[in-house]
Amino acid sequence: MKKFSELGVDTLILNAIQEMGYESPTPIQEQTIPVYLETQRDILGLAQTGTGKTAAFGIPLIQLVEPQSRAVQALVICPTRELCLQISKDLYAYSKYKPGMNIVSVYGGSSIEKQISEIKRGAQIVVATPGRLMDLMGRNAVRINEVSYVVLDEADEMLNMGFEEDVEYILSHTPEQKRVCLFSATMPREIRNIANRYMNSPVEISVGKSNSGNANITHQYATVHAKDKYAALKRYIDFNSDSIYAIIFCKTKNETQEISDKLIKDGYNADCLHGDLSQGQREKVMNRFRHHAIKILLATDVAARGIDVTALTHVIHFQLPDEIENYTHRSGRTGRAGKTGVSFTLLNMREGGRLKDIERLSNIKFERIMIPSAQQVRDKKLLAFTDTIINTEIEETIFDKEVERAIEALMMLDHKELVQKILSLELRRFSVDFVNDPDLNASGNDRSSGKEGSSSRGYKGNRVFVSLGKKDGFDIRSFKDWVAELSGISWKNLHVDVSGVYSFVDAAPEHADKIITSLNGGEFNGRPVRAELSGDKPRGGGGGRGGYRGGEDRGGFGGDRGGDRGERSSDRGNSRGFRSGGSSERSSGGKRPYGKREMEGSGSRRRR
Ligand code: AMP
């Protein structure tokens, strides 16, 4: 991989982009920048948002324009106001150490007078949406007859939005002698026509369908009945709610508004972006989303253009887009900058064919997941809540007299009663109705991706509670290994959630039975292990689930006992100090010793 300095980029710009955190060029930059800087050729680039195309044309533009001249030397035309602002912001950042550079952005929905006066002050680079630029040209407020560089960004989107004639009008008013650089995510015939008419045997650069090749994105879908889509969406969000920062794509403005209103009413941190909102409203929503004040943004494809948010955890397709390319546009908004992301499609029974088309044409592999049951959502929240309590540091500095009094009052309660009350409070919103909510997964949709059922989430009766957790030195990986080893079920067929004091294993029903027989009634480092179907009432009298036992019982799980457990483990011949309950037919399994690291983990989070 080359360095920016090897592409012919000036030191002044190198310093600026280094400060922006650009360490090495992306593929589109590596291919475009030298052509732009070292030849006089036009450039036709096939690249999507997220590939770094703005810097691919932006860095050369900053380097090539003359700050001494105040005439418009470069014109960047793009489809939306958001993209316009984003491009000018980036250009401005690249030019940080190049004195005298003026970059002006002009777009609709904002004061034209202000833009006119900005241009009058002299701008070497104008970044514009077509409509507003035409308007300014009509008022003789901008002269583009001396431009040396024209960039058409997201050209296919400009055509989709009906700007073809405007773009041609603008181009026809630029001088014959100029360089044109066109970027597009797709290359339909109309774009080829523009290229033929306005470009001079351009160098063609393609970074391929970048997003389909983006290994950081997992593509998932779930099939539900159309009427259940909203309920399924909520379940999915609930299940992922600890981390979610998502854009949900809808097809129409009305749907976007409607789903957003419903989510807000149901207590979610959501808002929406679509063409019917005023510029002020759009800006407000965007800012709040950028600053994570809103975690879920509903948007139409057009409204989402130009949103530059790098840390999305999920892209959710409430409706699939009409155009297949738009699927990759959408999903490419997650999994950026080295982060992983999920692109999740909610499919109704009739949409399987469309997904298949996307799979085939975009070379994407989809994984079918099941919408989690309400019980699973509840369990996951319970797990997170228990962990939060266990891991909370006690802040004595805030304990004034009033707090002490409250503590005293609560200390009057029996230990177990107190815990029960706290959990009842937390779980109040998960009423019996909620737990008995119907399974939202539609069966019978037999898409051929071959992965159906590969994730067991949501199957009824296949969630196994196990009374061991992080306190026992497990993390997700080691727990999965351990269950696989003892039950003889492949690692791939197990999904686990590991909490501080207990865990859950999701598996197909026949596997769940095997796990229970393998684990239940055994002993782990002298402690009885309970494994049972989640949701079952605890067996036996009074003791509750093993995982909830008091601190005294669990004293033996500190790091100092690690060696002791290790010995017992090897004595017994089962990994990790497990002693069989005698009822199971366990696989012989390997006798893999577990690392000290995991054992030590248990010591650091001792209960207080
Ligand atoms: P774009 O495709 O131009 O919208 O860029 C996508 C994102 O990648 C933006 O947030 C850029 O700031 C970022 N970016 C562009 N080039 C680089 C680079 N060479 N290194 C790191 N980040 C980059």
Side-chain angles (χ1 to χ4, degrees):
M1 189 190 290
K2 286 199 170 169
K3 292 185 185 145
F4 275 111
S5 56
E6 295 172 85
L7 306 181
V9 179
D10 273 355
T11 321
L12 292 179
I13 299 172
L14 285 178
N15 291 343
I17 59 177
Q18 201 173 358
E19 279 180 23
M20 294 171 76
Y22 293 12
E23 283 169 13
S24 48
T26 64
I28 189 80
Q29 291 161 3
E30 192 171 329
Q31 294 179 67
T32 309
I33 293 173
V35 176
Y36 220 138
L37 290 177
E38 289 157 21
T39 75
Q40 293 302 317
R41 305 275 306 269
D42 288 347
I43 296 170
L44 184 60
L46 189 63
Q48 296 171 344
T49 305
T51 52
K53 64 183 165 57
T54 312
F57 66 77
I59 290 172
L61 279 188
I62 296 298
Q63 185 156 327
L64 291 168
V65 301
E66 303 281 347
Q68 292 82 7
S69 162
R70 300 252 117 189
V72 181
Q73 296 164 53
L75 191 58
V76 180
I77 308 170
C78 63
T80 65
R81 173 182 184 279
E82 279 78 18
L83 191 58
C84 195
L85 285 168
Q86 186 59 43
I87 293 170
S88 27
K89 193 172 122 244
D90 285 357
L91 293 181
Y92 184 72
Y94 310 145
S95 71
K96 183 172 174 189
Y97 297 113
K98 184 164 176 179
M101 291 292 295
N102 255 338
I103 299 148
V104 170
S105 45
V106 298
Y107 44 82
S110 190
S111 157
I112 196 163
E113 281 77 25
K114 191 160 162 273
Q115 292 172 357
I116 290 173
S117 73
E118 279 177 355
I119 294 171
K120 268 201 183 130
R121 264 184 263 140
Q124 295 94 355
I125 304 181
V126 170
V127 185
T129 52
R132 178 53 61 98
L133 185 63
M134 298 257 293
D135 203 344
L136 289 166
M137 287 165 69
R139 296 175 189 223
N140 273 330
V142 61
R143 288 164 56 87
I144 59 168
N145 56 354
E146 287 181 41
V147 301
S148 307
Y149 308 97
V150 174
V151 176
L152 302 174
D153 194 17
E154 302 209 348
D156 53 349
E157 203 48 35
M158 290 202 272
L159 298 193
N160 285 345
M161 292 169 76
F163 287 138
E164 188 170 358
E165 279 182 16
D166 294 2
V167 170
E168 297 210 22
Y169 176 86
I170 293 165
L171 285 173
S172 68
H173 284 73
T174 57
E176 192 67 26
Q177 276 300 318
K178 62 177 179 291
R179 286 178 71 190
V180 180
C181 181
L182 182 154
F183 282 100
S184 188
T186 56
M187 207 46 73
R189 195 166 30 86
E190 294 85 346
I191 300 276
R192 287 260 164 224
N193 289 343
I194 290 188
N196 290 340
R197 240 173 305 151
Y198 295 95
M199 300 173 85
N200 200 356
S201 54
V203 177
E204 296 200 17
I205 293 172
S206 165
V207 290
K209 297 209 163 185
S210 64
N211 297 320
S212 58
N214 187 341
N216 291 338
I217 305 173
T218 308
H219 298 268
Q220 301 177 334
Y221 76 97
T223 309
V224 300
H225 293 288
K227 67 173 175 40
D228 290 333
K229 262 201 182 176
Y230 178 69
L233 174 69
K234 283 204 306 180
R235 283 264 181 91
Y236 185 83
I237 296 173
D238 284 341
F239 199 72
N240 294 288
S241 63
D242 341 330
S243 59
I244 208 159
Y245 182 48
I247 298 184
I248 302 177
F249 283 94
C250 300
K251 224 181 220 169
T252 63
K253 292 174 198 171
N254 282 349
E255 185 178 63
T256 310
Q257 186 71 52
E258 184 195 327
I259 304 297
S260 164
D261 288 348
K262 275 185 172 170
L263 284 173
I264 294 168
K265 191 165 148 272
D266 288 339
Y268 294 84
N269 191 1
D271 212 330
C272 64
L273 210 58
H274 56 68
D276 279 356
L277 302 177
S278 71
Q279 287 301 347
Q281 285 170 317
R282 286 162 67 93
E283 205 158 299
K284 212 163 144 195
V285 173
M286 267 314 304
N287 269 335
R288 296 191 64 219
F289 187 56
R290 235 180 247 128
H291 293 109
H292 290 241
I294 299 165
K295 291 285 193 185
I296 298 167
L297 182 69
L298 288 107
T300 53
D301 286 289
V302 171
R305 288 262 147 194
I307 297 176
D308 184 50
V309 177
T310 42
L312 289 184
T313 58
H314 291 77
V315 164
I316 300 176
H317 312 266
F318 190 75
Q319 300 287 355
L320 280 173
D322 285 332
E323 309 244 343
I324 286 172
E325 284 98 358
N326 271 343
Y327 177 86
T328 40
H329 270 299
R330 287 176 174 189
S331 57
R333 294 176 176 281
T334 186
R336 287 197 190 176
K339 297 202 170 71
T340 56
V342 175
S343 174
F344 171 64
T345 303
L346 261 170
L347 216 58
N348 70 31
M349 303 283 277
R350 289 198 307 274
E351 291 169 321
R354 288 200 50 68
L355 205 73
K356 233 179 185 172
D357 290 344
I358 293 173
E359 200 163 51
R360 187 167 43 83
L361 293 170
S362 309
N363 198 22
I364 285 171
K365 275 275 154 279
F366 283 91
E367 177 195 1
R368 181 176 185 180
I369 62 157
M370 308 302 276
I371 296 296
S373 67
Q375 168 96 38
Q376 283 174 310
V377 173
R378 205 280 318 257
D379 288 352
K380 187 157 180 193
K381 293 217 180 271
L382 182 58
L383 212 76
F385 182 65
T386 312
D387 268 2
T388 306
I389 293 183
I390 290 171
N391 293 325
T392 298
E393 295 289 332
I394 296 174
E395 291 214 30
E396 295 199 12
T397 47
I398 56 166
F399 286 6
D400 58 12
K401 263 218 163 93
E402 285 311 310
V403 179
E404 292 296 349
R405 260 185 223 129
I407 293 173
E408 249 171 55
L410 291 172
M411 294 274 281
M412 307 277 281
L413 298 172
D414 165 72
H415 183 173
K416 185 172 168 191
E417 191 185 359
L418 178 63
V419 174
Q420 285 174 330
K421 279 179 190 280
I422 292 171
L423 287 181
S424 301
L425 209 58
E426 177 64 13
L427 300 181
R428 186 171 285 169
R429 59 208 169 101
F430 301 103
S431 63
V432 173
D433 282 355
F434 179 87
V435 172
N436 290 335
D437 248 5
D439 181 358
L440 294 173
N441 295 288
S443 54
N445 180 281
D446 189 24
R447 278 198 356 87
S448 65
S449 104
K451 285 259 190 171
E452 184 150 353
S454 61
S455 168
S456 60
R457 293 195 191 289
Y459 286 132
K460 281 214 179 284
N462 64 351
R463 170 153 260 227
V464 179
F465 163 88
V466 183
S467 62
L468 298 172
K470 291 181 191 161
K471 283 274 180 187
D472 302 289
F474 285 111
D475 59 12
I476 286 184
R477 180 177 280 270
S478 59
F479 187 68
K480 218 180 202 188
D481 274 347
W482 184 75
V483 175
E485 187 178 338
L486 289 173
S487 64
I489 295 164
S490 163
W491 211 84
K492 286 189 300 222
N493 294 323
L494 303 170
H495 293 265
V496 305
D497 280 321
V498 179
S499 161
V501 289
Y502 58 94
S503 306
F504 289 105
V505 186
D506 285 318
E510 65 279 16
H511 290 156
D513 287 346
K514 215 165 164 195
I515 293 164
I516 292 170
T517 27
S518 305
L519 305 187
N520 193 43
E523 246 181 41
F524 186 83
N525 294 327
R527 209 161 68 85
V529 175
R530 295 177 342 93
E532 60 200 22
L533 277 186
S534 167
D536 281 1
K537 287 265 182 254
R539 281 179 238 135
R545 285 180 166 172
Y548 293 114
R549 264 194 253 149
E552 289 307 304
D553 275 2
R554 305 183 58 80
F557 297 105
D560 52 348
R561 293 277 300 274
D564 181 25
R565 274 181 281 167
E567 271 166 40
R568 251 190 259 163
S569 158
S570 51
D571 280 355
R572 293 292 308 164
N574 280 318
S575 77
R576 304 203 74 155
F578 185 76
R579 198 187 280 262
S580 152
S583 61
S584 65
E585 246 183 67
R586 205 169 299 115
S587 77
S588 57
K591 295 178 189 170
R592 195 157 2 121
Y594 279 75
K596 190 159 183 289
R597 183 180 54 77
E598 291 144 13
M599 293 307 185
E600 282 168 353
S602 62
S604 61
R605 288 212 202 127
R606 202 190 278 268
R607 268 191 192 183
R608 309 179 75 124

